[in-house]
Amino acid sequence: MPIQVKICDTPDDVARAAASEIAGLVRQKPDAVLGLATGSTPVKTYAELVRMNQEGLSFSRLTTFNLDEYWGLDGTHPQSYRFFMNHAFFAGTDIQLWNTHVPNGTAVDADLECEAFETRIRACGGVDLWLLGIGRNGHIAFNEPGSAPDSRTRLVDLTKSTIAANSRFFERVDDVPKQALTAGIATICEAKRIILLATGKDKARVVARAVQGVPHSSCPASFLQTHSDCTFILDREAASEVSAAFNS
Ligand code: GLP
């Protein structure tokens, strides 16, 4: 099934469109299971959801799963994804923290942690909607180029380009962890619905590759073409290299 492409005028419109779809799911299914992402792209979507929650849309029965976590950072580290999620989203809402799951970057045994993460998703009945971003090299979560479509939650090495891209959040490039726990491509593709957000000119090429190119591990996001219900919500800049034939 081709990836559906929705083009919005601005990054604010992307955030509103994504938040409004998530809100629609929550209204229909207050105990939905949401998959979430970190990175700078979804920040505005989370702010919009916080506003909706404060205006009365309850998230108290939601369960959430995050895609990934830096290996070696615990949840109190300001650059850990657990810390990010608590501050950018959870703390501003009535989401119950014990219903939120971010892989534990300081687990004693990485393999056991990854297995437990997958088991928890299954025990909750699977993810209803997974919100994704995309890395400049085509990664989704931390599934770097070379990742297999049947990959599951695991410990991975980060590529030099991802370490360089994410070093903007750290004081020094050497402070960026070299490994991470990440949900696999198969883990993500088992979600009933997937929304990927991308904004800005520097994502244009990789977005077009993911939507239009042959699915291949050189661009892990291209495997989303195999999902039956995946939409990319893009601003005009990120969509600038996508052929008009894909616009929905
Ligand atoms: C990180 C995360 C990804 C995210 C990507 C893009 O590497 N692991 O899940 O999609 O960054 O981030 P940004 O939205 O800041 O471009």
Side-chain angles (χ1 to χ4, degrees), residues 96-171:
Q96 307 296 307
L97 266 193
W98 58 85
N99 288 333
T100 68
H101 304 90
V102 182
N104 177 3
T106 54
V108 176
D109 184 318
D111 290 345
L112 280 182
E113 174 63 15
C114 294
E115 229 180 281
F117 186 78
E118 296 263 350
T119 305
R120 267 179 251 135
I121 294 178
R122 275 196 296 275
C124 292
V127 171
D128 290 299
L129 183 157
W130 213 318
L131 183 72
L132 303 181
I134 184 168
R136 283 151 194 78
N137 63 1
H139 72 230
I140 46 174
F142 273 130
N143 292 287
E144 299 281 32
S147 299
D150 61 355
S151 54
R152 307 218 65 102
T153 307
R154 66 206 187 284
L155 179 66
V156 293
D157 294 333
L158 302 181
T159 60
K160 273 196 177 141
S161 73
T162 295
I163 292 171
N166 291 2
S167 67
R168 68 192 193 278
F169 300 112
F170 292 80
E171 236 170 75

Side-chain angles (χ1 to χ4, degrees), residues 36-42 67-70 81 132-136 139-144 158 162 165-166 168-169 180 182 197-199 202-203:
L36 300 172
T38 53
S40 41
T41 312
L67 289 167
D68 44 17
E69 179 60 282
Y70 287 116
Y81 286 170
L132 303 181
I134 184 168
R136 283 151 194 78
H139 72 230
I140 46 174
F142 273 130
N143 292 287
E144 299 281 32
L158 302 181
T162 295
N166 291 2
R168 68 192 193 278
F169 300 112
T182 183
L197 309 183
T199 58
D202 61 338
K203 296 282 176 76

Side-chain angles (χ1 to χ4, degrees), residues 2-7 21 130-132 193-198 211 224 227-234 248:
I3 291 170
Q4 304 291 302
V5 176
K6 181 179 165 62
I7 303 176
E21 170 149 355
W130 213 318
L131 183 72
L132 303 181
R193 167 129 173 91
I194 294 176
I195 301 180
L196 182 146
L197 309 183
V211 173
L224 296 172
H227 195 274
S228 59
D229 193 12
C230 173
T231 301
F232 281 21
I233 306 182
L234 311 171
S248 54

